[in-house]
Amino acid sequence: MSTLEIKDLEVSVETEDGPKQILKGVTLTIKDGETHAIMGPNGSGKSTLAYSIAGHPKYTVTGGTVTLDGEDVLAMSVDERARAGLFLAMQYPVEVPGVSVANFLRTAKTAIDGEAPKLRTWVKDVNQALGDLDLDPTFSQRSVNEGFSGGEKKRHEIAQLELLDPKVAILDETDSGLDIDALKVVSEGVNRFRARDAKGVLLITHYTRILRYIEPDFVHVFVAGRVAESGGPELAEELEANGYERFLSAQAAV
Amino acid sequence: MTAVADALELDRVESHLNPPASYDLADHPVPTGREEVWRFTPIKRLRGILDGEASDACLDWETTIPEGVSLTTVSAAEAREIGELAPNERPAALAAELSGGAALLDVPADFEADEPIVIRLTGSSVDDLVWGQLVYRIGAHARVTIVLVHSGSARYSAIQSFLVGDGAQVNILSLQDWEDDAVHLGRDAIRVGRDASVKHTSISFGGDVVRMHANVEYAGPGGEAELLGLYFADAGQHLEHRLFADHTAPKTKSNVVYKGALQGEGAHTVWIGNVLIRKVAEGIETYEENRNLVLTDGCQADSVPNLEIETGEIEGAGHASATARFDDEQLFYLRSRGVSEKEAQRLVVHGFFNDLIRKVGIPSIEEQLLRTVEAELAKNVLKELA
Ligand SMILES: Nc1ncnc2c1ncn2[C@@H]1O[C@H](COP(=O)(O)OP(=O)(O)OP(=O)(O)O)[C@@H](O)[C@H]1O
Ligand SMILES: [Mg+2]
C-alpha cells in the first residue's frame, strides 16, 4: 500500500519583489498502482509542484499538507523523502562533474536500501538498467549527466527510477526533448516500473503523445497553480483536440 | 648561430609581475609585505626565514634512485655552471647563498624508467631552519617520473631547478604534506628543452604557511608544460601557489590547472597565474585555470590570473578562475536520490578533485591522494558523520 496525498498545497518562491505565490491550493491523491497525468501550459506551476514534493530549497510551502502513507513528507529533509519512497525524474537533470554514474548509483542505492547492494548482481543490474534505456555500459564511467545529450539525461533518470525502485515516481516532463524512438524507450521503462507491485506515478507533461505509450488512469488539467479539471484519459483527448483554451478563459473569468 | 637560438628570447623583460632573476641579495631586499609579489603572504608567520640566518640544519633524506641515475653534491658555483635557474625572489636567493652546496640528480640521456624516482624529505622540528638547493638534470629524450615528498616539520626554503633536455618527458610531483607548524617557501623552476614535455604537479595539504613557485621557461620551440596543482587548506592555514609560464620560444605550450578546497576559520589560499608571451613566442598556446571550492564560512581564496602578451601571433591563450561554494542544485540532485547531505558534499568534493587527480599520471600516488582528500574532509565537512 502506498498513497501520496497532496492537500490544499500552497507554495511560493522568493523574488526580487518579495514572495510570489505559485501553487494556490493543489489537491491530489495518488493511490497504489495509479498513474496520474498532469497537463498544463508553460508556467502553470507543474515543476513547482514536483520540486515542492521533493523538497527543493527554492520553494516555500505556505499552506497545505503532503503525506506518503500518512507520514508528513513536508517535515522530512530532501534525502529522507527519497528514502521514504519518493522519486523525482527532473525536467533538467543536474550535472555533477567528477562523480561517476557507477559511484553515484551505488551510493544512492546504498542510501535508499540502508545497506550496500551485493556487488556481483549490482553491476549486472546497472548494466541491464542502462542497456534497457539504450545507454551503453560506458555511461557508468562517465560523470553524472556531464556532457549527456538532453535525451540521454532523461533516459538516465528512468534508469535510476528502475534501479532505486521508489513507491511513487514523479516524472517532470520526462518526454520533452525526446525523439520518437527515445520516447518509446523511456515509456517502456516507466511501464516496467508501473508493472511492479503497488507503484504510483505522477506524470507531468506538456504533450499528449507520451500518453499513447503510458496510459494514465487520471488526467488533471493544471492551470495557474491549481487543478482546473480532473477526468479520465478522455480529458487528454480533448486537450489534444482543443488545447488549453477552454481552461485558460475559465481562469481569466475567475 | 642556429635559427632556433635566434628565436630564443631570454633577456630580462620588464614584466611587472615577476622581479628579474638574480643571485645578488641586494636585488631582493627584505619585503615589507606591500610588494606586489608579497602582498598576499603573511610575512610575520614566516618565522624569520627572510632574515637569512646561516644554518646547516638538514632535512632527513630517504631516496629511491634507480640504477643509472645519480645523486651527488655539487658546489653552488658548479650548480650555476650546470645551468641552475637563478632566483627571482629573496627566499630562493637566500637558499642559493646559504645552502652550502646543491644536490644534483643526474638522469642520463635516453634513460627510461616506469618506476618513479622518489625523494622523501622529512623535517624533525620547526626550530630547524633549512636551506635547500636541488638541481635536476634530465638528459635528452629521457623519460622519468620524479616524486618529491615533504613531511614532518621545519622552516624550509628551497630553490629547485629542473633542466629538461630536448625531447625528454618528465613527470614531476611535489607533495607538501607537512605538520601543522611547518613553513615552506619553495621555488621550482623548469627549463623545458626543445620538443620536451614536462608535467609538474604541486600538492599542498599540510603546513602553517606554504608558498610555492612553479616557473617554466623554454630552451627551444615545441616544448610543452602542464602545471597542475591541488591544495586543501584547513583553519588558519596559508597555502600559496605562484605560477609563471614564460614563453621564451615559439610554438611552445603551457597548460595550468590548479584546484583547491578551503575549510575552517582563517583558511587562506592564494593562486597567482602569470603568463608572459614574449615577442618571439609566435604560435604558442596557453591556458590557465584555477578553481576553488569554499566548504565553510571564514575562508578566503585569492585567485589572480595575469596574461601579458607581447606578440599578436598566438595560437590560443585563455584563462579561467572561479571560486564557489557548494552548488545547491548538485546537492539537491544527489539528496533527491536518498544520499544524505554530508555524503552528497563528500561526493561533490571528490568529484571536484577527481579529474585533476587522474591527470597526475602516477598510479601509486593517485590512490594516496584520494585517501588524503578523504582524511581532509573528515576534519571538517564530514565531522558529524564520524
Ligand atoms: N524565482 C522566481 N521568480 C519569479 N517567478 C518565478 C521564479 N521561479 C519560478 N517562477 C514562476 O513560477 C511559475 C511556475 O513555474 P514552473 O517551472 O513551475 O512552471 P511549469 O508549469 O513547470 O512550466 P514549463 O511547462 O515551462 O516547465 C512560472 O511563471 C515561473 O516564471
Ligand atoms: Mg516545468
Side-chain angles (χ1 to χ4, degrees):
Chain A
M1 264 305 284
S2 58
T3 304
L4 178 68
E5 201 168 353
I6 304 158
K7 254 196 214 149
D8 302 321
L9 188 65
E10 295 180 14
V11 170
S12 64
V13 294
E14 218 33 69
T15 73
E16 281 165 17
D17 321 315
K20 174 183 170 190
Q21 192 175 10
I22 311 284
L23 298 189
K24 299 167 181 162
V26 178
T27 298
L28 259 184
T29 303
I30 297 153
K31 297 204 187 104
D32 250 0
E34 292 179 355
T35 295
H36 293 241
I38 289 192
M39 306 192 62
N42 289 133
S44 55
K46 304 181 298 296
S47 293
T48 303
L49 175 64
Y51 277 127
S52 302
I53 297 169
H56 193 291
K58 174 178 153 185
Y59 301 93
T60 311
V61 175
T62 54
T65 57
V66 179
T67 57
L68 179 65
D69 300 333
E71 299 278 333
D72 183 359
V73 169
L74 298 179
M76 301 178 195
S77 68
V78 176
D79 41 294
E80 282 169 346
R81 296 178 196 205
R83 294 197 295 272
L86 288 174
F87 178 89
L88 169 60
M90 293 186 202
Q91 185 173 1
Y92 303 107
V94 181
E95 302 188 356
V96 192
V99 176
S100 70
V101 167
N103 188 8
F104 164 63
L105 292 175
R106 190 174 3 89
T107 307
K109 185 68 176 171
T110 304
I112 293 214
D113 289 1
E115 59 176 355
K118 302 250 173 325
L119 195 63
R120 187 135 16 112
T121 49
W122 176 245
V123 174
K124 241 174 55 200
D125 291 349
V126 168
N127 287 339
Q128 168 91 37
L130 293 175
D132 284 346
L133 284 144
D134 255 1
L135 297 167
D136 72 79
T138 59
F139 269 84
S140 62
Q141 292 317 312
R142 291 178 60 178
S143 291
V144 172
N145 293 321
E146 198 179 37
F148 289 20
S149 72
E152 287 165 351
K153 284 181 183 167
K154 298 301 180 73
R155 285 184 270 149
H156 178 222
E157 295 289 283
I158 301 307
Q160 292 172 50
L161 169 68
E162 290 196 69
L163 285 166
L164 300 181
D165 195 32
K167 292 177 181 167
V168 178
I170 303 165
L171 312 178
D172 189 3
E173 298 209 23
T174 299
D175 54 332
S176 61
L178 296 181
D179 61 29
I180 194 70
D181 293 329
L183 183 66
K184 277 187 198 159
V185 165
V186 160
S187 301
E188 282 162 15
V190 175
N191 285 333
R192 280 191 298 273
F193 172 73
R194 292 205 307 157
R196 294 178 191 170
D197 200 30
K199 302 297 183 189
V201 174
L202 183 61
L203 180 77
I204 296 173
T205 181
H206 214 75
Y207 308 101
T208 47
R209 63 172 190 162
I210 193 172
L211 303 182
R212 274 177 242 145
Y213 302 99
I214 304 172
E215 207 177 315
D217 304 297
F218 302 94
V219 173
H220 310 276
V221 181
F222 206 76
V223 179
R226 54 164 70 96
V227 176
E229 191 166 319
S230 296
E234 74 287 346
L235 191 52
E237 277 153 41
E238 190 207 325
L239 288 175
E240 166 98 34
N242 306 325
Y244 294 108
E245 191 52 40
R246 171 163 80 83
F247 304 99
L248 290 170
S249 47
Q251 169 67 24
V254 170
Chain B
M1 221 193 223
T2 66
V4 173
D6 271 340
L8 276 182
E9 187 182 334
L10 295 168
D11 300 341
R12 287 181 176 192
V13 285
E14 285 306 317
S15 165
H16 74 282
L17 309 170
N18 295 280
S22 161
Y23 281 96
D24 189 350
L25 282 173
D27 289 335
H28 307 289
V30 180
T32 62
R34 287 188 297 275
E35 298 79 0
E36 178 58 31
V37 293
W38 287 102
R39 68 188 177 100
F40 292 105
T41 313
I43 290 190
K44 289 207 178 70
R45 280 160 59 191
L46 300 183
R47 297 178 182 251
I49 293 180
L50 297 175
D51 299 341
E53 258 175 61
S55 165
D56 53 11
C58 292
L59 299 176
D60 182 48
W61 284 58
E62 194 192 312
T63 59
T64 309
I65 312 274
E67 219 178 292
V69 173
S70 72
L71 181 64
T72 53
T73 307
V74 296
S75 71
E78 281 169 310
R80 287 193 211 185
E81 259 165 55
I82 288 166
E84 182 185 46
L85 299 161
N88 60 330
E89 55 148 27
R90 184 172 178 85
L94 289 170
E97 175 90 6
L98 299 168
S99 69
L104 172 67
L105 184 93
D106 234 323
V107 177
D110 299 313
F111 180 87
E112 291 204 16
D114 289 323
E115 287 305 305
I117 296 168
V118 183
I119 301 177
R120 290 179 188 280
L121 302 177
T122 310
S124 48
S125 162
V126 76
D127 296 333
D128 290 341
L129 173 61
V130 182
W131 302 108
Q133 185 175 18
L134 294 88
V135 177
Y136 304 77
R137 180 164 57 184
I138 292 105
H141 304 289
R143 184 174 58 78
V144 279
T145 295
I146 299 167
V147 175
L148 197 67
V149 181
H150 303 93
S151 60
S153 191
R155 288 175 290 156
Y156 183 51
S157 175
I159 176 168
Q160 299 205 105
S161 303
F162 297 86
L163 311 172
V164 178
D166 293 350
Q169 291 174 41
V170 186
N171 190 353
I172 303 157
L173 180 131
S174 177
L175 176 61
Q176 289 70 248
D177 199 9
W178 297 103
E179 297 293 329
D180 288 347
D181 57 356
V183 179
H184 184 182
L185 306 178
R187 199 257 10 215
D188 285 6
I190 304 162
R191 197 176 63 214
V192 183
R194 181 179 185 141
D195 297 323
S197 92
V198 178
K199 186 186 286 190
H200 178 280
T201 307
S202 184
I203 296 178
S204 303
F205 288 120
D208 180 46
V209 179
V210 172
R211 185 183 197 262
M212 306 297 291
H213 289 263
N215 301 342
V216 189
E217 60 181 61
Y218 301 84
E224 294 184 17
E226 185 171 18
L227 303 176
L228 305 177
L230 188 162
Y231 46 89
F232 207 130
D234 296 327
Q237 258 189 318
H238 176 93
L239 303 179
E240 180 167 347
H241 294 88
R242 308 182 70 91
L243 290 300
F244 182 33
D246 187 356
H247 284 271
T248 45
K251 299 230 181 295
T252 50
K253 285 186 189 167
S254 61
N255 184 33
V256 178
V257 183
Y258 269 64
K259 284 188 165 188
L262 299 85
Q263 62 180 0
E265 197 60 37
H268 187 199
T269 65
V270 179
W271 177 86
I272 310 290
N274 293 332
V275 175
L276 172 61
I277 305 172
R278 302 199 188 212
K279 263 194 214 71
V280 73
E282 293 186 356
I284 69 103
E285 281 175 57
T286 176
Y287 179 74
E288 48 171 357
E289 177 180 334
N290 174 230
R291 294 194 187 278
N292 295 295
L293 191 55
V294 177
L295 305 180
T296 68
D297 290 335
C299 309
Q300 189 181 338
D302 290 299
S303 179
V304 188
N306 287 309
L307 195 54
E308 284 185 287
I309 304 179
E310 299 182 333
T311 172
E313 305 292 317
I314 51 181
E315 209 45 52
H319 60 72
S321 157
T323 296
R325 295 180 156 266
F326 277 120
D327 182 324
D328 286 341
E329 295 299 327
Q330 286 178 1
L331 294 181
F332 173 73
Y333 187 75
L334 296 169
R335 294 182 66 196
S336 78
R337 271 43 175 161
V339 178
S340 72
E341 184 173 16
K342 296 285 166 195
E343 183 74 4
Q345 291 178 338
R346 193 184 68 86
L347 276 178
V348 168
V349 174
H350 271 274
F352 176 74
F353 284 127
N354 239 344
D355 56 336
L356 193 113
I357 288 175
R358 281 200 219 111
K359 277 189 195 148
V360 170
I362 310 172
S364 55
I365 293 285
E366 288 172 21
E367 258 314 291
Q368 185 190 335
L369 290 179
L370 285 169
R371 278 200 306 274
T372 310
V373 166
E374 188 73 24
E376 287 289 333
L377 279 173
K379 283 188 199 163
N380 208 307
V381 170
L382 299 181
K383 216 176 343 191
E384 289 110 90
L385 262 191

